[in-house]
Amino acid sequence: MPGVNAIKLLTGNSHPELAQMVADRLGIAVTPCVCKKFADQSIDVRIGASVRDEDVFVLQTGNSPYVDPNDSLMELLIILSACKTASARRITAVIPSFPYSRHDKKDKSRAPITAKLVANMITVAGADHVITMDLHASQIQGFFDIPVDNLTSEPSVARWIRTRVHNYSDAIIVSPDAGGAKRATSLADLLGIDFALINRNRKREQNKRIRAAQREQAGLSTQSSFSDLQSGLTTPNPSNLLVEKAALQKSRSASGGSSSGSSGDSGIGGGGGNGNGGGDQRRIASQDQLRSVNDQLDDLSLHQQKTSADETPKLGHAHAHGLANGRLEPAFSSRDSSPSAVKQTLANGVLVDERGHWMTIDENGHRVVSGGLKQPESSHPQISLQSQDLSMSTSSLGSVNMGEGAADDGEETKMEILVGDVRGKTAILIDDMVDTGRTLALAAKTLKDAGAKEVYAHISHGLLSGKATDLLAMLDLERLVVTNTIPSLEKARASKGKLEIMDVSAVIAESIRRTHNGESISLLFQEDAALLF
């Protein structure tokens, strides 16, 4: 191989075995490099050979049982920086398992995009090129301003399936979630077999229903659009209570389609007739929804506790009157809407008075929607539901549309097969990463319940954190195959033969050789790439 002697391969403490295997395939020696810690836990790096004007490849995986992942990242950055200051001609970071790859997007407020931060750090440290394998999200390649080669283990996995799975042509490739659908379909097309897709549905049904009933009974909104509101107020929705369409239609038909708000009705939008058609429609819709929820509560026979005399003034006249009669009433009546009662503007036109009640007012000064203060359960025992009142059916409370995050406990996770038929077939689960193993366990159980004959799993990066190895030993799984991008030898010994390690050092070595010689590496992504190794 021309020019191979000019390659300098360095590695830290994260995966020395893989580095040695790659060096053996290239026919070179690993350049001595010592990474150690001082007493204050700071990292010191010493490179034991000259790298001046050399083509340097630094192999360091992002996850390892040998070192902390943050220490592994710091070792990589320090080695890159040391090679840069030592006048290396070109520096390539070879990262089989990219660190923080799951933090690739801002999926909620104030969430960091840590993968982008890591990309910036690697570039600033001195890397001219990055080689990695099976990124969790392919868009991470766009986080870099330098060339990135995202290798794939797909040809090697296809070869394993052809040689190790009996009658593989009757097998089916399965993705355990929607995010891996593209990976599963690609491998299925390569093998010429079918694929299936599993949907993972996290539900916290019981606690959502309990809290929904509490909020309904207190006359509060069932959703809040301000996640960081610390004052305890619930923010308004287009209507105070969200009910299903069928219930709304039922209440309208029961009321005879009447569109006039009588004086006996404490309508949410009740502000007197002003000729405003839009205001009337909103007022009628709010009243209809309120009647619908009252009908549902009557049908459920929820036993309301009597309002004590000393607590009634704290809830407001109209609100307390509604609770005392076992029905939901608006937190305000129309006579409470004087501007003098409003003390401050909360946000988006939401006005809050001195008692903590909120409201929104239209352009004519009439209230559109309003609500009350969200009180702790211990503050008002008369509006808290007792345990015997919560024995209502699932279908009865199914009409309330709960928002995300309404309850964070009591998690019920279910999986169902959305696409494909696995009955009587050998199912092969494909994913890029397994951490705790819980998703894998649920997917394997779902496939077995659906009639799969055997279940295999192919995972690119086997993190197997915590007691995942113990869980693997108990699974109804024929074999879990992981690559050696992460050291897993000890876990394979403890898995009772269910964990198999697939070597990808040949793929990494070939990519290093082709990069050094200026050859194309696109051949490594083709169908017959496994024949090269």
Side-chain angles (χ1 to χ4, degrees):
M1 287 181 287
V4 166
N5 292 332
I7 293 178
K8 294 290 185 180
L9 182 63
L10 285 74
T11 186
N13 295 325
S14 65
H15 204 343
E17 297 93 344
L18 180 60
Q20 187 60 54
M21 295 169 69
V22 170
D24 292 342
R25 290 183 178 275
L26 290 172
I28 63 175
V30 178
T31 301
C33 182
V34 177
C35 299
K36 63 179 182 180
K37 285 187 175 182
F38 291 116
D40 63 351
Q41 300 303 303
S42 60
I43 296 175
D44 180 39
V45 171
R46 300 291 176 88
I47 300 176
S50 174
V51 295
R52 182 178 295 274
D53 202 33
E54 298 283 5
D55 197 1
V56 178
F57 292 84
V58 182
L59 194 153
Q60 182 84 340
T61 194
N63 298 275
S64 172
Y66 304 144
V67 295
D68 183 87
N70 297 314
D71 289 344
S72 178
L73 177 59
M74 282 305 301
E75 286 181 4
L76 172 64
L77 298 175
I78 294 173
I79 295 174
L80 293 175
S81 178
C83 292
K84 182 178 181 180
T85 56
S87 303
R89 176 165 53 91
R90 183 176 63 177
I91 306 173
T92 301
V94 183
I95 314 172
S97 177
F98 194 83
Y100 291 98
S101 61
R102 284 182 285 187
H103 303 259
D104 61 314
K105 59 183 176 295
K106 188 173 182 179
D107 54 354
K108 55 187 176 183
S109 299
R110 299 173 296 279
I113 308 177
T114 316
K116 170 62 174 174
L117 174 62
V118 173
N120 291 339
M121 294 166 66
I122 292 173
T123 304
V124 172
D128 301 305
H129 181 207
V130 172
I131 298 175
T132 185
M133 175 171 282
D134 287 332
L135 283 173
H136 182 68
S138 58
Q139 66 262 23
I140 295 177
Q141 297 175 81
F143 294 169
F144 289 88
D145 295 326
I146 56 177
V148 178
D149 291 322
N150 181 26
L151 305 178
T152 178
S153 60
E154 183 178 288
S156 301
V157 173
R159 182 181 62 177
W160 190 96
I161 293 174
R162 289 191 183 103
T163 58
R164 303 291 296 276
V165 177
H166 178 67
N167 195 17
Y168 79 90
S169 59
D170 194 35
I172 185 168
I173 304 297
V174 183
S175 173
D177 52 41
K182 185 176 180 180
R183 186 183 304 109
T185 54
S186 177
L187 181 60
D189 291 342
L190 183 61
L191 294 170
I193 59 179
D194 293 332
F195 78 95
L197 178 63
I198 296 179
N199 176 47
R200 182 174 183 179
N201 186 17
R202 298 179 177 90
K203 294 183 179 180
R204 300 172 175 87
E205 296 293 347
Q206 185 62 28
N207 287 278
K208 283 185 178 180
R209 297 187 190 107
I210 293 174
R211 299 190 187 194
Q214 291 173 343
R215 287 170 180 164
E216 285 181 14
Q217 192 176 11
L220 303 180
S221 170
T222 58
Q223 287 188 344
S224 175
S225 58
F226 296 94
S227 61
D228 55 353
L229 191 61
Q230 299 297 324
S231 62
L233 295 172
T234 56
T235 53
N237 294 285
S239 61
N240 243 18
L241 295 168
L242 303 177
V243 296
E244 63 182 4
K245 185 176 180 182
L248 184 59
Q249 292 175 347
K250 177 181 177 182
S251 66
R252 284 181 176 174
S253 61
S255 63
S258 174
S259 60
S260 62
S262 63
S263 60
D265 267 332
S266 309
I268 293 179
N274 61 340
N276 186 350
D280 291 339
Q281 293 177 0
R282 286 191 293 267
R283 197 160 49 246
I284 293 169
S286 299
Q287 292 170 359
D288 288 341
Q289 291 176 355
L290 190 60
R291 294 192 195 100
S292 173
V293 175
N294 284 328
D295 292 340
Q296 292 181 53
L297 293 179
D298 289 341
D299 294 339
L300 294 173
S301 301
L302 292 175
H303 303 289
Q304 308 289 345
Q305 294 189 5
K306 299 298 182 180
T307 306
S308 59
D310 56 341
E311 291 290 335
T312 300
K314 297 182 181 179
L315 295 176
H317 175 72
H319 194 181
H321 176 72
L323 290 177
N325 289 278
R327 298 176 64 82
L328 293 178
E329 297 291 347
F332 282 94
S333 64
S334 60
R335 60 178 178 270
D336 294 331
S337 61
S338 60
S340 60
V342 176
K343 295 300 182 183
Q344 61 179 342
T345 300
L346 182 62
N348 297 335
V350 181
L351 305 178
V352 183
D353 72 356
E354 58 186 357
R355 294 176 295 174
H357 295 119
W358 54 258
M359 71 188 82
T360 57
I361 298 177
D362 62 14
E363 62 275 8
N364 296 316
H366 297 286
R367 181 177 292 103
V368 177
V369 65
S370 60
L373 181 65
K374 180 181 177 182
Q375 299 289 351
E377 297 180 5
S378 59
S379 302
H380 301 289
Q382 70 275 12
I383 66 172
S384 62
L385 294 180
Q386 301 300 323
S387 59
Q388 61 268 24
D389 297 330
L390 299 178
S391 57
M392 53 190 66
S393 65
T394 301
S395 58
S396 301
L397 282 174
S399 60
V400 180
N401 180 14
M402 290 298 298
E404 290 184 7
D408 295 328
D409 47 2
E411 179 179 352
E412 295 179 9
T413 304
K414 296 181 180 179
M415 281 188 169
E416 56 181 351
I417 299 176
L418 295 182
V419 178
D421 183 14
V422 301
R423 186 175 301 277
K425 296 183 178 180
T426 298
I428 305 174
L429 284 163
I430 299 295
D431 207 353
D432 69 307
M433 188 178 298
V434 56
D435 190 1
T436 61
R438 190 164 184 268
T439 298
L440 183 65
L442 289 170
K445 183 179 184 301
T446 302
L447 293 173
K448 279 291 188 179
D449 293 344
K453 182 173 59 175
E454 293 178 326
V455 179
Y456 291 87
H458 265 276
I459 309 295
S460 299
H461 310 298
L463 300 178
L464 297 174
S465 304
K467 297 184 178 180
T469 307
D470 298 334
L471 176 63
L472 174 62
M474 297 183 292
L475 289 182
D476 191 7
L477 197 68
E478 298 297 323
R479 192 69 57 88
L480 170 63
V481 183
V482 300
T483 66
N484 60 342
T485 56
I486 297 175
S488 304
L489 187 58
E490 295 298 327
K491 296 174 182 177
R493 293 170 179 167
S495 65
K496 300 179 181 179
K498 286 194 174 183
L499 180 61
E500 181 177 335
I501 302 175
M502 187 175 66
D503 183 21
V504 293
S505 62
V507 182
I508 297 175
E510 183 65 14
S511 66
I512 291 176
R513 188 192 70 81
R514 288 176 174 268
T515 299
H516 175 67
N517 294 333
E519 301 175 15
S520 173
I521 68 167
S522 61
L523 184 62
L524 302 180
F525 302 93
Q526 297 179 8
E527 180 178 350
D528 55 352
L531 301 177
L532 299 173
F533 316 126

